[in-house]
Amino acid sequence: AQSVTQLDSHVSVSEGTPVLLRCNYSSSYSPSLFWYVQHPNKGLQLLLKYTSAATLVKGINGFEAEFKKSETSFHLTKPSAHMSDAAEYFCVVPPGTSYDKVIFGPGTSLSVIP
Amino acid sequence: NAGVTQTPKFRVLKTGQSMTLLCAQDMNHEYMYWYRQDPGMGLRLIHYSVGEGTTAKGEVPDGYNVSRLKKQNFLLGLESAAPSQTSVYFCASRLGQGAGLVGDIQYFGAGTRLSVL
């Protein structure tokens, strides 16, 4: 069975400082992995995705994530936080060829302090 | 291109009332999903559909029914609303065509905020 763990339910950073949101997965094979972002009172938007090509993936708004099979991790980073980054972030295992459902992590709420 | 559209955006119900949430997508997607989002619990799958005329149960299907009579629409019904169904409901769709299409993207609607008093 596949699962996703987001180690921090809430992260708070100062504007201009780096962001690190952690995600670990459990899978019997190398899965695809996505990060979604949800701004307040909005739907979910795809931030970036890993689908077994390059292990370092760049997304929108300056975010990137690195897939590390040895650590079963897919942490999301950004060099410098902006106020507009304040949102909920979800690490996700998307549907594959052998299953239909999306597996969501519990989410990490990012606060950015001015 | 509208993507995934949910109606209504907000609704307040009294316990025992019924209602239907509509999800419409214009991307010719095969797969459609209904989730509910509650504080501290992330997104939980209620029901989903892998094609027109098909539906399947997700993690939390009790108290909900769904129908997919047309490929572009996925309806979520509450027959007798309960306060425990107060939540934000999200619809999503994805292409899902053909074996090997691993990792295709789910597109989400903006959500429906439902309060049951």
Side-chain angles (χ1 to χ4, degrees), chain B residues 4-45:
Chain B
V4 179
T5 303
Q6 291 183 233
T7 53
K9 291 185 176 8
F10 303 94
R11 186 72 184 268
V12 178
L13 291 178
K14 294 180 180 179
T15 298
Q17 287 185 317
S18 63
M19 78 162 294
T20 300
L21 280 66
L22 171 63
C23 177
Q25 53 92 5
D26 61 0
M27 298 173 283
N28 201 34
H29 284 176
E30 292 290 336
Y31 287 59
M32 297 187 74
Y33 305 80
W34 275 108
Y35 297 91
R36 60 177 290 172
Q37 185 178 34
D38 302 290
M41 302 191 75
L43 274 78
R44 292 182 292 170
L45 181 64

Short mmCIF file of all heavy atoms in Angstrom, two decimals, chain B residues 4-45:
data_model
loop_
_atom_site.label_atom_id
_atom_site.label_comp_id
_atom_site.label_asym_id
_atom_site.label_seq_id
_atom_site.Cartn_x
_atom_site.Cartn_y
_atom_site.Cartn_z
N VAL B 4 -13.02 22.97 -14.11
CA VAL B 4 -13.96 22.28 -13.23
C VAL B 4 -14.78 23.34 -12.50
O VAL B 4 -14.22 24.20 -11.83
CB VAL B 4 -13.23 21.39 -12.22
CG1 VAL B 4 -14.24 20.70 -11.30
CG2 VAL B 4 -12.37 20.36 -12.94
N THR B 5 -16.08 23.27 -12.65
CA THR B 5 -16.98 24.25 -12.06
C THR B 5 -17.90 23.58 -11.07
O THR B 5 -18.55 22.58 -11.38
CB THR B 5 -17.83 24.94 -13.14
OG1 THR B 5 -16.96 25.53 -14.11
CG2 THR B 5 -18.70 26.02 -12.53
N GLN B 6 -17.97 24.13 -9.87
CA GLN B 6 -18.84 23.59 -8.82
C GLN B 6 -19.95 24.60 -8.51
O GLN B 6 -19.69 25.79 -8.39
CB GLN B 6 -18.06 23.32 -7.54
CG GLN B 6 -17.08 22.19 -7.62
CD GLN B 6 -16.40 21.94 -6.29
OE1 GLN B 6 -15.17 21.91 -6.22
NE2 GLN B 6 -17.16 21.74 -5.23
N THR B 7 -21.16 24.08 -8.39
CA THR B 7 -22.27 24.91 -7.94
C THR B 7 -23.08 24.17 -6.91
O THR B 7 -23.26 22.94 -7.02
CB THR B 7 -23.18 25.30 -9.13
OG1 THR B 7 -23.58 24.11 -9.82
CG2 THR B 7 -22.49 26.24 -10.08
N PRO B 8 -23.59 24.86 -5.87
CA PRO B 8 -23.33 26.26 -5.56
C PRO B 8 -21.97 26.44 -4.87
O PRO B 8 -21.30 25.46 -4.59
CB PRO B 8 -24.46 26.58 -4.59
CG PRO B 8 -24.67 25.30 -3.83
CD PRO B 8 -24.45 24.20 -4.87
N LYS B 9 -21.60 27.65 -4.59
CA LYS B 9 -20.37 27.93 -3.86
C LYS B 9 -20.60 27.88 -2.35
O LYS B 9 -19.68 27.56 -1.59
CB LYS B 9 -19.82 29.30 -4.26
CG LYS B 9 -19.29 29.38 -5.66
CD LYS B 9 -18.65 30.71 -5.94
CE LYS B 9 -18.00 30.84 -7.30
NZ LYS B 9 -18.16 29.80 -8.26
N PHE B 10 -21.77 28.26 -1.93
CA PHE B 10 -22.10 28.26 -0.51
C PHE B 10 -23.53 27.73 -0.34
O PHE B 10 -24.38 27.95 -1.20
CB PHE B 10 -22.04 29.66 0.10
CG PHE B 10 -20.73 30.35 -0.06
CD1 PHE B 10 -20.52 31.21 -1.12
CD2 PHE B 10 -19.72 30.16 0.86
CE1 PHE B 10 -19.31 31.85 -1.28
CE2 PHE B 10 -18.51 30.80 0.71
CZ PHE B 10 -18.31 31.65 -0.37
N ARG B 11 -23.77 27.06 0.80
CA ARG B 11 -25.12 26.61 1.07
C ARG B 11 -25.27 26.37 2.56
O ARG B 11 -24.35 25.86 3.20
CB ARG B 11 -25.44 25.34 0.30
CG ARG B 11 -26.89 24.87 0.40
CD ARG B 11 -27.84 25.77 -0.37
NE ARG B 11 -29.22 25.35 -0.17
CZ ARG B 11 -29.87 24.51 -0.95
NH1 ARG B 11 -29.28 23.98 -2.00
NH2 ARG B 11 -31.12 24.19 -0.68
N VAL B 12 -26.42 26.75 3.08
CA VAL B 12 -26.75 26.46 4.48
C VAL B 12 -28.01 25.60 4.47
O VAL B 12 -29.01 25.97 3.84
CB VAL B 12 -26.98 27.74 5.30
CG1 VAL B 12 -27.35 27.37 6.73
CG2 VAL B 12 -25.73 28.61 5.29
N LEU B 13 -27.95 24.48 5.16
CA LEU B 13 -29.08 23.56 5.23
C LEU B 13 -29.49 23.35 6.69
O LEU B 13 -28.67 23.52 7.60
CB LEU B 13 -28.71 22.19 4.66
CG LEU B 13 -28.47 22.04 3.18
CD1 LEU B 13 -28.07 20.60 2.86
CD2 LEU B 13 -29.69 22.43 2.38
N LYS B 14 -30.74 22.95 6.85
CA LYS B 14 -31.18 22.49 8.17
C LYS B 14 -31.07 20.97 8.21
O LYS B 14 -31.17 20.30 7.17
CB LYS B 14 -32.62 22.92 8.42
CG LYS B 14 -32.80 24.43 8.52
CD LYS B 14 -34.25 24.78 8.79
CE LYS B 14 -34.43 26.30 8.90
NZ LYS B 14 -35.86 26.67 9.13
N THR B 15 -30.87 20.45 9.39
CA THR B 15 -30.78 19.00 9.55
C THR B 15 -32.00 18.32 8.92
O THR B 15 -33.14 18.75 9.16
CB THR B 15 -30.68 18.62 11.03
OG1 THR B 15 -29.47 19.19 11.58
CG2 THR B 15 -30.65 17.12 11.22
N GLY B 16 -31.72 17.30 8.12
CA GLY B 16 -32.80 16.55 7.49
C GLY B 16 -33.12 17.00 6.07
O GLY B 16 -33.79 16.26 5.33
N GLN B 17 -32.68 18.19 5.69
CA GLN B 17 -32.94 18.64 4.33
C GLN B 17 -32.03 17.90 3.34
O GLN B 17 -31.00 17.33 3.72
CB GLN B 17 -32.70 20.16 4.21
CG GLN B 17 -33.77 21.00 4.87
CD GLN B 17 -33.56 22.49 4.64
OE1 GLN B 17 -32.44 23.00 4.72
NE2 GLN B 17 -34.65 23.18 4.35
N SER B 18 -32.44 17.96 2.09
CA SER B 18 -31.64 17.31 1.06
C SER B 18 -31.12 18.36 0.08
O SER B 18 -31.68 19.46 -0.01
CB SER B 18 -32.46 16.27 0.30
OG SER B 18 -33.54 16.91 -0.37
N MET B 19 -30.03 18.01 -0.61
CA MET B 19 -29.53 18.91 -1.64
C MET B 19 -28.60 18.14 -2.57
O MET B 19 -28.14 17.03 -2.25
CB MET B 19 -28.79 20.10 -1.04
CG MET B 19 -27.39 19.82 -0.57
SD MET B 19 -26.43 21.34 -0.37
CE MET B 19 -26.30 21.91 -2.06
N THR B 20 -28.34 18.74 -3.71
CA THR B 20 -27.43 18.16 -4.70
C THR B 20 -26.38 19.18 -5.07
O THR B 20 -26.70 20.33 -5.36
CB THR B 20 -28.19 17.73 -5.96
OG1 THR B 20 -29.17 16.76 -5.61
CG2 THR B 20 -27.23 17.14 -6.98
N LEU B 21 -25.12 18.75 -5.02
CA LEU B 21 -24.00 19.56 -5.48
C LEU B 21 -23.66 19.12 -6.90
O LEU B 21 -23.56 17.92 -7.17
CB LEU B 21 -22.78 19.38 -4.59
CG LEU B 21 -22.74 20.13 -3.26
CD1 LEU B 21 -23.82 19.63 -2.33
CD2 LEU B 21 -21.37 20.00 -2.62
N LEU B 22 -23.44 20.11 -7.76
CA LEU B 22 -23.13 19.80 -9.15
C LEU B 22 -21.68 20.10 -9.45
O LEU B 22 -21.15 21.13 -9.07
CB LEU B 22 -24.02 20.62 -10.09
CG LEU B 22 -23.66 20.57 -11.58
CD1 LEU B 22 -23.83 19.15 -12.12
CD2 LEU B 22 -24.50 21.55 -12.37
N CYS B 23 -21.04 19.19 -10.15
CA CYS B 23 -19.69 19.38 -10.64
C CYS B 23 -19.73 19.20 -12.15
O CYS B 23 -20.24 18.18 -12.65
CB CYS B 23 -18.73 18.38 -10.02
SG CYS B 23 -17.04 18.51 -10.65
N ALA B 24 -19.18 20.16 -12.87
CA ALA B 24 -19.14 20.08 -14.33
C ALA B 24 -17.72 20.34 -14.81
O ALA B 24 -17.06 21.26 -14.33
CB ALA B 24 -20.09 21.11 -14.93
N GLN B 25 -17.26 19.50 -15.74
CA GLN B 25 -15.93 19.72 -16.33
C GLN B 25 -16.05 19.71 -17.86
O GLN B 25 -16.83 18.95 -18.42
CB GLN B 25 -14.93 18.66 -15.84
CG GLN B 25 -15.35 17.22 -16.00
CD GLN B 25 -14.92 16.56 -17.28
OE1 GLN B 25 -14.18 17.14 -18.08
NE2 GLN B 25 -15.38 15.33 -17.48
N ASP B 26 -15.25 20.59 -18.47
CA ASP B 26 -15.32 20.73 -19.93
C ASP B 26 -14.05 20.26 -20.61
O ASP B 26 -13.71 20.73 -21.71
CB ASP B 26 -15.64 22.18 -20.29
CG ASP B 26 -14.56 23.16 -19.80
OD1 ASP B 26 -13.57 22.71 -19.19
OD2 ASP B 26 -14.73 24.36 -20.03
N MET B 27 -13.32 19.32 -19.96
CA MET B 27 -12.04 18.86 -20.49
C MET B 27 -12.11 17.44 -21.04
O MET B 27 -11.08 16.83 -21.33
CB MET B 27 -10.99 18.95 -19.38
CG MET B 27 -10.76 20.39 -18.90
SD MET B 27 -9.69 20.51 -17.46
CE MET B 27 -10.82 20.01 -16.16
N ASN B 28 -13.32 16.90 -21.12
CA ASN B 28 -13.52 15.55 -21.62
C ASN B 28 -12.80 14.51 -20.77
O ASN B 28 -12.31 13.50 -21.29
CB ASN B 28 -13.08 15.42 -23.09
CG ASN B 28 -13.72 14.22 -23.77
OD1 ASN B 28 -14.87 13.86 -23.48
ND2 ASN B 28 -12.99 13.59 -24.67
N HIS B 29 -12.74 14.78 -19.47
CA HIS B 29 -12.06 13.85 -18.57
C HIS B 29 -12.92 12.64 -18.27
O HIS B 29 -14.14 12.74 -18.13
CB HIS B 29 -11.70 14.56 -17.26
CG HIS B 29 -10.52 15.47 -17.40
ND1 HIS B 29 -10.07 16.26 -16.37
CD2 HIS B 29 -9.68 15.70 -18.44
CE1 HIS B 29 -9.01 16.93 -16.76
NE2 HIS B 29 -8.75 16.61 -18.02
N GLU B 30 -12.27 11.50 -18.11
CA GLU B 30 -12.99 10.28 -17.78
C GLU B 30 -13.28 10.17 -16.27
O GLU B 30 -14.32 9.73 -15.86
CB GLU B 30 -12.18 9.06 -18.20
CG GLU B 30 -12.03 8.88 -19.71
CD GLU B 30 -13.35 8.49 -20.38
OE1 GLU B 30 -14.23 7.92 -19.69
OE2 GLU B 30 -13.51 8.76 -21.59
N TYR B 31 -12.30 10.52 -15.45
CA TYR B 31 -12.38 10.30 -14.02
C TYR B 31 -12.86 11.57 -13.32
O TYR B 31 -12.38 12.67 -13.61
CB TYR B 31 -11.01 9.92 -13.45
CG TYR B 31 -10.53 8.53 -13.79
CD1 TYR B 31 -10.38 8.12 -15.10
CD2 TYR B 31 -10.21 7.63 -12.78
CE1 TYR B 31 -9.93 6.84 -15.40
CE2 TYR B 31 -9.75 6.36 -13.07
CZ TYR B 31 -9.62 5.97 -14.38
OH TYR B 31 -9.17 4.72 -14.67
N MET B 32 -13.78 11.39 -12.39
CA MET B 32 -14.21 12.50 -11.56
C MET B 32 -14.31 12.05 -10.12
O MET B 32 -14.56 10.88 -9.83
CB MET B 32 -15.56 13.05 -12.06
CG MET B 32 -15.48 13.63 -13.47
SD MET B 32 -16.97 14.47 -14.02
CE MET B 32 -16.90 16.01 -13.07
N TYR B 33 -14.10 13.00 -9.19
CA TYR B 33 -13.97 12.69 -7.76
C TYR B 33 -14.73 13.73 -6.93
O TYR B 33 -14.78 14.90 -7.29
CB TYR B 33 -12.50 12.75 -7.33
CG TYR B 33 -11.55 11.87 -8.10
CD1 TYR B 33 -11.08 12.25 -9.35
CD2 TYR B 33 -11.12 10.65 -7.58
CE1 TYR B 33 -10.19 11.45 -10.05
CE2 TYR B 33 -10.24 9.85 -8.27
CZ TYR B 33 -9.77 10.26 -9.51
OH TYR B 33 -8.89 9.46 -10.21
N TRP B 34 -15.27 13.28 -5.82
CA TRP B 34 -15.79 14.18 -4.80
C TRP B 34 -15.02 13.95 -3.50
O TRP B 34 -14.90 12.82 -3.02
CB TRP B 34 -17.28 13.95 -4.54
CG TRP B 34 -18.19 14.67 -5.47
CD1 TRP B 34 -18.95 14.15 -6.47
CD2 TRP B 34 -18.46 16.08 -5.47
NE1 TRP B 34 -19.65 15.14 -7.11
CE2 TRP B 34 -19.38 16.33 -6.51
CE3 TRP B 34 -18.01 17.16 -4.70
CZ2 TRP B 34 -19.86 17.61 -6.81
CZ3 TRP B 34 -18.48 18.42 -4.98
CH2 TRP B 34 -19.41 18.64 -6.02
N TYR B 35 -14.52 15.06 -2.94
CA TYR B 35 -13.80 15.03 -1.66
C TYR B 35 -14.50 15.96 -0.67
O TYR B 35 -15.17 16.91 -1.05
CB TYR B 35 -12.36 15.55 -1.81
CG TYR B 35 -11.46 14.76 -2.71
CD1 TYR B 35 -11.36 15.06 -4.06
CD2 TYR B 35 -10.68 13.72 -2.20
CE1 TYR B 35 -10.50 14.34 -4.88
CE2 TYR B 35 -9.82 13.00 -3.02
CZ TYR B 35 -9.74 13.33 -4.36
OH TYR B 35 -8.89 12.61 -5.17
N ARG B 36 -14.27 15.70 0.60
CA ARG B 36 -14.61 16.68 1.61
C ARG B 36 -13.34 17.04 2.37
O ARG B 36 -12.42 16.21 2.54
CB ARG B 36 -15.69 16.16 2.57
CG ARG B 36 -15.36 14.92 3.35
CD ARG B 36 -16.50 14.56 4.31
NE ARG B 36 -16.60 15.51 5.43
CZ ARG B 36 -17.59 15.51 6.32
NH1 ARG B 36 -18.57 14.62 6.24
NH2 ARG B 36 -17.60 16.40 7.30
N GLN B 37 -13.27 18.29 2.77
CA GLN B 37 -12.09 18.78 3.47
C GLN B 37 -12.52 19.35 4.82
O GLN B 37 -13.34 20.26 4.89
CB GLN B 37 -11.37 19.86 2.67
CG GLN B 37 -10.07 20.32 3.31
CD GLN B 37 -9.35 21.35 2.48
OE1 GLN B 37 -9.96 22.17 1.81
NE2 GLN B 37 -8.02 21.31 2.53
N ASP B 38 -11.97 18.79 5.86
CA ASP B 38 -12.27 19.22 7.22
C ASP B 38 -10.97 19.60 7.92
O ASP B 38 -9.92 19.01 7.64
CB ASP B 38 -12.98 18.10 7.97
CG ASP B 38 -14.25 17.66 7.27
OD1 ASP B 38 -15.20 18.46 7.27
OD2 ASP B 38 -14.29 16.54 6.73
N PRO B 39 -11.03 20.55 8.84
CA PRO B 39 -9.82 21.01 9.52
C PRO B 39 -9.04 19.86 10.14
O PRO B 39 -9.60 19.04 10.88
CB PRO B 39 -10.37 21.97 10.58
CG PRO B 39 -11.67 22.45 10.02
CD PRO B 39 -12.24 21.28 9.28
N GLY B 40 -7.74 19.81 9.86
CA GLY B 40 -6.88 18.79 10.46
C GLY B 40 -7.01 17.41 9.86
O GLY B 40 -6.33 16.49 10.31
N MET B 41 -7.86 17.25 8.84
CA MET B 41 -8.07 15.90 8.29
C MET B 41 -7.73 15.82 6.81
O MET B 41 -7.95 14.79 6.18
CB MET B 41 -9.52 15.47 8.53
CG MET B 41 -9.89 15.48 10.01
SD MET B 41 -11.44 14.69 10.35
CE MET B 41 -11.00 12.98 10.18
N GLY B 42 -7.24 16.90 6.24
CA GLY B 42 -6.89 16.86 4.82
C GLY B 42 -8.12 16.62 3.96
O GLY B 42 -9.24 16.96 4.32
N LEU B 43 -7.89 16.03 2.80
CA LEU B 43 -8.98 15.71 1.87
C LEU B 43 -9.32 14.23 2.00
O LEU B 43 -8.43 13.38 1.97
CB LEU B 43 -8.59 16.02 0.43
CG LEU B 43 -8.81 17.45 -0.03
CD1 LEU B 43 -7.71 18.34 0.50
CD2 LEU B 43 -8.87 17.52 -1.54
N ARG B 44 -10.60 13.95 2.08
CA ARG B 44 -11.04 12.56 2.14
C ARG B 44 -11.99 12.29 0.97
O ARG B 44 -12.90 13.06 0.70
CB ARG B 44 -11.74 12.28 3.47
CG ARG B 44 -10.79 12.33 4.67
CD ARG B 44 -11.52 11.99 5.96
NE ARG B 44 -12.47 13.02 6.33
CZ ARG B 44 -13.38 12.89 7.31
NH1 ARG B 44 -13.46 11.75 7.98
NH2 ARG B 44 -14.19 13.89 7.59
N LEU B 45 -11.77 11.17 0.33
CA LEU B 45 -12.53 10.83 -0.87
C LEU B 45 -13.90 10.27 -0.48
O LEU B 45 -13.99 9.32 0.30
CB LEU B 45 -11.75 9.80 -1.69
CG LEU B 45 -12.37 9.34 -2.99
CD1 LEU B 45 -12.48 10.51 -3.97
CD2 LEU B 45 -11.54 8.22 -3.61
#
